[in-house]
Amino acid sequence: EPEVTQTPSHQVTQMGQEVILRCVPISNHLYFYWYRQILGQKVEFLVSFYNNEISEKSEIFDDQFSVERPDGSNFTLKIRSTKLEDSAMYFCASSGYNYGYTFGSGTRLTVV
Amino acid sequence: SQELEQSPQSLIVQEGKNLTINCTSSKTLYGLYWYKQKYGEGLIFLMMLQKGGEEKSHEKITAKLDEKKQQSSLHITASQPSHAGIYLCGAGPGGSYGKLTFGQGTILTVHP
């Protein structure tokens, strides 16, 4: 069964630091996403990415966030100048038209 | 924006019992996804429904989308401790792509 792979599984960072969360989507999927889940809350959409550009983003996805597909396999989420409220589980997902919508196992980000 | 309401919020059953989780949408559902999440872990895809009246089954889990496409139900037959977890419904534009909006989740506990 193809998987979406996320690294690292856990990340602890100091407030104000930059973090990069990494994802390897499923190889034949064309759409890529980042979601987050603050402890005890709903899974929230951050951004979708298609054809090397952002196709949709939520209000949460402000200038502090950026995404990139630096090569043919990786998809990254960069959070600049992290805040305490950025502490959450971040999920990468990928999908293909009628090929399913698969989530990774997540990166738990803790900002201290 | 689309809102999904899941009921019940939590459910405790004895092993072997049947149970149903409901997901009600504020708008028409074009793509309805069911996922299972273990606490603090990733989302595991269960099923996707798109057509009114559609029903899909996998092992002991059956999901249905009503004819009006505003409500979905997830039914587990003869529950087992392995079914325990958080069940999430998510709504998207259909076709396995696009932003998903999630319900708040239903916490299922199965006592042996």
Coordinates of all heavy atoms in Angstrom, one line a residue, chain A residues 31 33 35 37 39-45 48 56 58 89 91 95-106 108, chain B residues 3-5 33 35 37 39-45 48 50 86 88 94-105:
Chain A
Y31 N -1.9 16.2 -6.4 CA -2.3 17.2 -5.4 C -1.7 17.0 -4.1 O -1.7 15.8 -3.6 CB -3.8 17.2 -5.3 CG -4.6 17.4 -6.6 CD1 -4.9 16.3 -7.4 CD2 -5.0 18.6 -7.1 CE1 -5.6 16.4 -8.6 CE2 -5.6 18.8 -8.2 CZ -5.9 17.7 -9.0 OH -6.6 17.9 -10.2
Y33 N -1.1 18.5 0.1 CA -1.8 19.4 1.1 C -1.1 19.4 2.4 O -0.3 18.4 2.7 CB -3.2 18.8 1.4 CG -4.0 18.4 0.1 CD1 -3.9 17.1 -0.4 CD2 -4.9 19.3 -0.4 CE1 -4.6 16.8 -1.5 CE2 -5.7 18.9 -1.5 CZ -5.5 17.7 -2.1 OH -6.2 17.3 -3.2
Y35 N -2.3 20.0 6.5 CA -3.3 20.2 7.4 C -2.7 20.3 8.8 O -1.5 19.8 9.0 CB -4.3 19.0 7.5 CG -5.2 18.9 6.3 CD1 -4.7 18.4 5.1 CD2 -6.5 19.4 6.3 CE1 -5.6 18.3 4.0 CE2 -7.4 19.2 5.2 CZ -6.9 18.7 4.0 OH -7.7 18.6 2.9
Q37 N -3.6 19.9 13.2 CA -4.5 19.5 14.3 C -4.0 20.0 15.6 O -3.0 19.3 16.1 CB -4.9 18.0 14.3 CG -6.0 17.6 15.2 CD -6.3 16.1 15.1 OE1 -5.4 15.3 14.9 NE2 -7.5 15.8 15.3
L39 N -4.1 20.1 19.5 CA -4.5 19.0 20.4 C -6.0 19.2 20.9 O -6.3 20.2 21.4 CB -3.6 19.0 21.7 CG -3.8 17.8 22.6 CD1 -3.4 16.5 21.9 CD2 -2.9 18.0 23.9
G40 N -6.8 18.2 20.6 CA -8.2 18.2 21.1 C -9.1 18.9 20.1 O -10.3 19.1 20.4
Q41 N -8.6 19.4 19.0 CA -9.4 20.2 18.1 C -9.5 19.5 16.7 O -9.0 18.4 16.5 CB -8.8 21.6 17.9 CG -8.8 22.4 19.2 CD -8.4 23.8 19.0 OE1 -8.4 24.4 17.9 NE2 -7.9 24.5 20.0
K42 N -10.3 20.1 15.8 CA -10.5 19.5 14.5 C -9.3 19.6 13.7 O -8.4 20.4 13.9 CB -11.6 20.3 13.8 CG -13.0 20.2 14.3 CD -13.9 21.0 13.4 CE -15.3 21.0 13.9 NZ -16.3 21.7 13.0
V43 N -9.2 18.7 12.7 CA -8.2 18.7 11.7 C -8.5 19.9 10.7 O -9.7 20.0 10.3 CB -8.1 17.4 10.8 CG1 -7.2 17.6 9.7 CG2 -7.8 16.3 11.7
E44 N -7.6 20.8 10.5 CA -7.8 22.1 9.8 C -7.0 22.1 8.5 O -5.8 21.8 8.6 CB -7.5 23.3 10.6 CG -8.2 23.4 11.9 CD -7.6 24.6 12.7 OE1 -6.5 24.5 13.2 OE2 -8.3 25.6 12.8
F45 N -7.6 22.5 7.4 CA -6.9 22.7 6.2 C -6.0 23.9 6.2 O -6.4 25.0 6.7 CB -7.9 22.8 5.1 CG -7.3 23.3 3.7 CD1 -6.7 22.4 2.9 CD2 -7.5 24.6 3.3 CE1 -6.2 22.8 1.7 CE2 -7.0 25.0 2.1 CZ -6.4 24.1 1.3
S48 N -3.3 23.8 -0.2 CA -3.2 22.8 -1.3 C -2.3 23.3 -2.4 O -2.2 24.5 -2.6 CB -4.6 22.4 -1.8 OG -5.2 23.6 -2.4
E56 N -5.1 26.6 -3.3 CA -6.0 27.1 -2.3 C -5.3 27.2 -0.9 O -4.4 26.4 -0.6 CB -7.2 26.2 -2.1 CG -8.3 26.8 -1.3 CD -9.6 26.0 -1.3 OE1 -9.6 24.9 -1.9 OE2 -10.6 26.4 -0.6
S58 N -5.9 28.5 3.4 CA -6.9 29.0 4.4 C -6.4 30.3 5.1 O -5.3 30.7 4.8 CB -7.1 27.9 5.5 OG -5.9 27.8 6.3
M89 N -0.1 19.1 15.6 CA 0.3 18.0 14.7 C 0.0 18.5 13.3 O -1.0 19.0 13.0 CB -0.6 16.7 15.0 CG -0.2 15.5 14.2 SD 1.3 14.8 15.0 CE 0.6 13.2 15.5
F91 N -0.1 17.5 9.3 CA -0.3 16.3 8.5 C -0.1 16.8 7.0 O -0.7 17.8 6.6 CB -1.7 15.8 8.6 CG -2.0 15.1 9.9 CD1 -2.9 15.7 10.8 CD2 -1.4 13.9 10.2 CE1 -3.1 15.2 12.0 CE2 -1.7 13.3 11.5 CZ -2.6 13.9 12.4
S95 N -3.2 13.4 -3.1 CA -4.4 12.8 -3.7 C -4.2 12.9 -5.2 O -3.4 13.7 -5.8 CB -5.7 13.5 -3.3 OG -5.8 14.7 -3.9
G96 N -4.9 12.0 -5.9 CA -4.9 12.0 -7.4 C -6.4 11.8 -7.8 O -7.2 11.3 -7.0
Y97 N -6.8 12.3 -8.9 CA -8.2 12.3 -9.3 C -8.6 10.8 -9.3 O -8.1 10.0 -10.0 CB -8.4 12.9 -10.7 CG -9.8 13.1 -11.0 CD1 -10.5 14.1 -10.5 CD2 -10.4 12.2 -11.9 CE1 -11.9 14.3 -10.8 CE2 -11.8 12.3 -12.2 CZ -12.5 13.4 -11.7 OH -13.8 13.5 -12.0
N98 N -9.6 10.5 -8.4 CA -10.1 9.2 -8.2 C -9.0 8.2 -7.8 O -9.2 7.0 -8.0 CB -10.9 8.7 -9.4 CG -12.2 9.3 -9.5 OD1 -12.8 9.7 -8.4 ND2 -12.7 9.5 -10.7
Y99 N -7.9 8.6 -7.3 CA -6.8 7.7 -6.8 C -6.7 7.8 -5.3 O -5.7 7.4 -4.7 CB -5.5 8.1 -7.4 CG -5.4 7.6 -8.8 CD1 -5.5 8.5 -9.9 CD2 -5.1 6.3 -9.1 CE1 -5.4 8.0 -11.2 CE2 -5.0 5.8 -10.4 CZ -5.2 6.7 -11.5 OH -5.1 6.3 -12.7
G100 N -7.7 8.3 -4.6 CA -7.6 8.3 -3.1 C -7.0 9.5 -2.6 O -6.4 10.3 -3.3
Y101 N -7.2 9.7 -1.3 CA -6.7 10.9 -0.6 C -6.1 10.4 0.7 O -6.7 10.0 1.7 CB -8.0 11.8 -0.2 CG -7.8 13.2 0.0 CD1 -8.5 14.2 -0.8 CD2 -6.9 13.7 1.0 CE1 -8.3 15.5 -0.6 CE2 -6.8 15.0 1.2 CZ -7.5 16.0 0.4 OH -7.4 17.3 0.7
T102 N -4.7 10.4 0.7 CA -4.0 9.7 1.7 C -3.2 10.7 2.6 O -2.5 11.6 2.1 CB -3.0 8.7 1.1 OG1 -3.7 7.9 0.2 CG2 -2.2 7.9 2.1
F103 N -3.3 10.5 3.9 CA -2.6 11.3 4.9 C -1.3 10.6 5.4 O -1.3 9.4 5.5 CB -3.5 11.6 6.1 CG -4.5 12.7 5.8 CD1 -5.6 12.4 5.0 CD2 -4.3 14.0 6.3 CE1 -6.6 13.4 4.8 CE2 -5.3 14.9 6.0 CZ -6.4 14.7 5.3
G104 N -0.3 11.4 5.7 CA 0.8 10.9 6.4 C 0.6 10.7 7.9 O -0.5 11.0 8.4
S105 N 1.6 10.2 8.6 CA 1.4 9.9 10.0 C 1.6 11.1 10.9 O 1.4 11.1 12.1 CB 2.3 8.8 10.5 OG 3.6 9.1 10.1
G106 N 2.1 12.2 10.3 CA 2.1 13.5 11.0 C 3.5 13.8 11.6 O 4.3 13.0 11.8
R108 N 4.6 16.0 14.9 CA 4.2 16.7 16.1 C 5.2 17.8 16.4 O 6.3 17.6 16.7 CB 4.1 15.8 17.3 CG 3.7 16.5 18.6 CD 3.4 15.6 19.7 NE 2.3 14.6 19.4 CZ 1.0 15.0 19.4 NH1 0.6 16.2 19.7 NH2 0.1 14.1 19.1
Chain B
E3 N -20.0 23.1 7.2 CA -19.8 22.6 8.6 C -20.2 21.1 8.6 O -21.3 20.8 8.1 CB -20.6 23.4 9.6 CG -20.2 24.9 9.6 CD -18.9 25.1 10.4 OE1 -18.6 24.3 11.3 OE2 -18.2 26.1 10.1
L4 N -19.4 20.3 9.3 CA -19.8 18.9 9.5 C -20.0 18.7 11.0 O -19.1 19.1 11.8 CB -18.7 18.0 9.0 CG -18.5 18.0 7.5 CD1 -17.4 17.0 7.2 CD2 -19.8 17.7 6.8
E5 N -21.1 18.1 11.4 CA -21.4 17.8 12.8 C -21.5 16.3 12.9 O -22.2 15.6 12.2 CB -22.7 18.4 13.2 CG -23.1 18.3 14.6 CD -22.2 19.2 15.5 OE1 -21.8 20.2 15.1 OE2 -22.0 18.8 16.7
Y33 N -15.6 11.6 3.0 CA -14.5 10.7 3.4 C -14.7 10.3 4.9 O -15.0 11.1 5.7 CB -13.1 11.3 3.2 CG -12.8 11.8 1.8 CD1 -13.4 13.0 1.3 CD2 -11.9 11.1 1.0 CE1 -13.2 13.4 0.0 CE2 -11.6 11.6 -0.2 CZ -12.3 12.7 -0.7 OH -12.0 13.1 -2.0
Y35 N -12.3 8.6 7.9 CA -11.0 8.2 8.4 C -11.1 7.8 9.8 O -11.9 8.2 10.6 CB -10.0 9.5 8.3 CG -9.7 9.9 6.9 CD1 -10.5 10.9 6.3 CD2 -8.6 9.4 6.3 CE1 -10.1 11.3 5.0 CE2 -8.2 9.9 5.0 CZ -9.0 10.8 4.4 OH -8.7 11.2 3.1
Q37 N -8.5 7.6 13.2 CA -7.3 8.1 13.8 C -7.1 7.5 15.2 O -8.0 7.6 16.0 CB -7.4 9.7 13.9 CG -6.1 10.3 14.4 CD -6.2 11.8 14.5 OE1 -7.3 12.4 14.7 NE2 -5.1 12.5 14.4
Y39 N -5.2 8.1 18.7 CA -4.9 9.3 19.4 C -3.4 9.7 19.1 O -2.5 8.9 19.4 CB -5.1 9.2 20.9 CG -4.9 10.5 21.6 CD1 -5.9 11.5 21.6 CD2 -3.7 10.7 22.3 CE1 -5.7 12.7 22.2 CE2 -3.5 11.9 23.0 CZ -4.5 12.9 22.9 OH -4.3 14.1 23.6
G40 N -3.2 10.9 18.6 CA -1.9 11.4 18.4 C -1.2 10.8 17.2 O 0.0 11.1 17.0
E41 N -1.9 10.1 16.3 CA -1.3 9.5 15.1 C -2.0 10.0 13.9 O -2.8 10.9 13.9 CB -1.4 8.0 15.2 CG -0.7 7.4 16.4 CD -0.7 5.9 16.5 OE1 -1.2 5.3 15.5 OE2 -0.3 5.4 17.5
G42 N -1.7 9.4 12.8 CA -2.2 9.8 11.5 C -3.6 9.4 11.2 O -4.2 8.7 12.0
L43 N -4.1 9.8 10.0 CA -5.5 9.5 9.6 C -5.4 8.3 8.6 O -4.6 8.4 7.6 CB -6.1 10.7 8.9 CG -6.7 11.8 9.8 CD1 -5.6 12.5 10.5 CD2 -7.5 12.7 8.9
I44 N -6.2 7.3 8.9 CA -6.2 6.1 8.1 C -7.5 6.1 7.3 O -8.6 6.2 7.8 CB -6.1 4.8 8.9 CG1 -4.8 4.8 9.7 CG2 -6.2 3.6 8.0 CD1 -4.8 3.8 10.8
F45 N -7.3 6.1 5.9 CA -8.5 6.2 5.1 C -9.3 4.9 5.2 O -8.8 3.8 5.2 CB -8.0 6.3 3.6 CG -9.1 6.3 2.6 CD1 -9.9 7.4 2.4 CD2 -9.3 5.1 1.8 CE1 -10.9 7.3 1.4 CE2 -10.3 5.1 0.9 CZ -11.1 6.2 0.7
M48 N -14.7 6.4 0.8 CA -15.1 7.6 0.2 C -16.4 7.4 -0.5 O -16.6 6.4 -1.2 CB -14.1 8.2 -0.8 CG -14.5 9.4 -1.5 SD -13.5 9.7 -2.9 CE -14.4 10.9 -3.8
Q50 N -19.6 9.3 -2.9 CA -19.9 10.5 -3.7 C -21.3 10.6 -4.2 O -21.8 11.7 -4.4 CB -19.0 10.5 -5.0 CG -17.5 10.7 -4.7 CD -16.7 10.9 -5.9 OE1 -16.4 12.0 -6.3 NE2 -16.3 9.8 -6.6
I86 N -10.6 7.3 17.0 CA -11.4 8.4 16.7 C -11.8 8.4 15.2 O -10.9 8.2 14.3 CB -10.6 9.7 16.9 CG1 -10.1 9.8 18.4 CG2 -11.4 11.0 16.6 CD1 -9.0 10.8 18.6
L88 N -13.4 10.1 12.0 CA -13.5 11.5 11.4 C -14.2 11.4 10.1 O -13.8 10.6 9.2 CB -12.1 12.2 11.2 CG -11.2 12.3 12.4 CD1 -9.9 12.7 12.0 CD2 -11.8 13.4 13.3
G94 N -15.3 16.2 -4.1 CA -15.5 15.0 -4.9 C -14.3 14.8 -5.8 O -13.5 15.7 -6.1
G95 N -14.2 13.6 -6.3 CA -13.1 13.3 -7.3 C -11.7 13.1 -6.7 O -10.7 13.1 -7.4
S96 N -11.7 13.0 -5.3 CA -10.4 12.7 -4.6 C -9.4 13.9 -4.8 O -8.2 13.6 -4.9 CB -9.8 11.4 -5.1 OG -10.5 10.3 -4.8
Y97 N -9.9 15.1 -4.8 CA -8.9 16.2 -4.8 C -9.6 17.4 -4.1 O -10.8 17.4 -4.0 CB -8.5 16.6 -6.2 CG -9.5 17.2 -7.1 CD1 -9.7 18.6 -7.2 CD2 -10.4 16.4 -7.8 CE1 -10.7 19.1 -7.9 CE2 -11.4 17.0 -8.6 CZ -11.5 18.3 -8.7 OH -12.5 18.9 -9.4
G98 N -8.8 18.4 -3.7 CA -9.4 19.6 -3.1 C -9.4 19.5 -1.6 O -9.1 18.5 -1.0
K99 N -9.6 20.7 -1.0 CA -9.6 20.9 0.4 C -10.7 20.0 1.1 O -11.8 19.9 0.6 CB -9.9 22.3 0.7 CG -10.5 22.7 2.0 CD -10.9 24.1 2.0 CE -11.7 24.5 3.2 NZ -12.2 25.9 3.2
L100 N -10.3 19.4 2.2 CA -11.3 18.6 3.0 C -11.6 19.5 4.3 O -10.7 20.0 4.9 CB -10.8 17.3 3.4 CG -10.5 16.2 2.3 CD1 -10.1 14.9 3.0 CD2 -11.7 16.1 1.4
T101 N -12.9 19.5 4.6 CA -13.4 20.1 5.9 C -13.8 18.9 6.8 O -14.6 18.1 6.3 CB -14.5 21.0 5.6 OG1 -14.1 22.0 4.7 CG2 -15.0 21.6 6.9
F102 N -13.3 18.9 8.0 CA -13.6 17.8 8.9 C -14.6 18.1 10.0 O -14.7 19.2 10.4 CB -12.2 17.3 9.5 CG -11.4 16.5 8.6 CD1 -10.4 17.2 7.9 CD2 -11.5 15.2 8.5 CE1 -9.6 16.5 7.0 CE2 -10.7 14.4 7.7 CZ -9.7 15.1 6.9
G103 N -15.2 17.0 10.4 CA -16.0 17.1 11.6 C -15.1 17.0 12.8 O -13.9 16.8 12.7
Q104 N -15.7 17.1 14.0 CA -14.9 17.1 15.2 C -14.5 15.8 15.7 O -13.6 15.7 16.6 CB -15.7 17.8 16.3 CG -16.7 17.0 17.1 CD -18.0 16.9 16.3 OE1 -18.1 17.1 15.1 NE2 -19.1 16.5 17.0
G105 N -15.0 14.7 15.1 CA -14.6 13.4 15.4 C -15.5 12.7 16.4 O -16.1 13.4 17.2

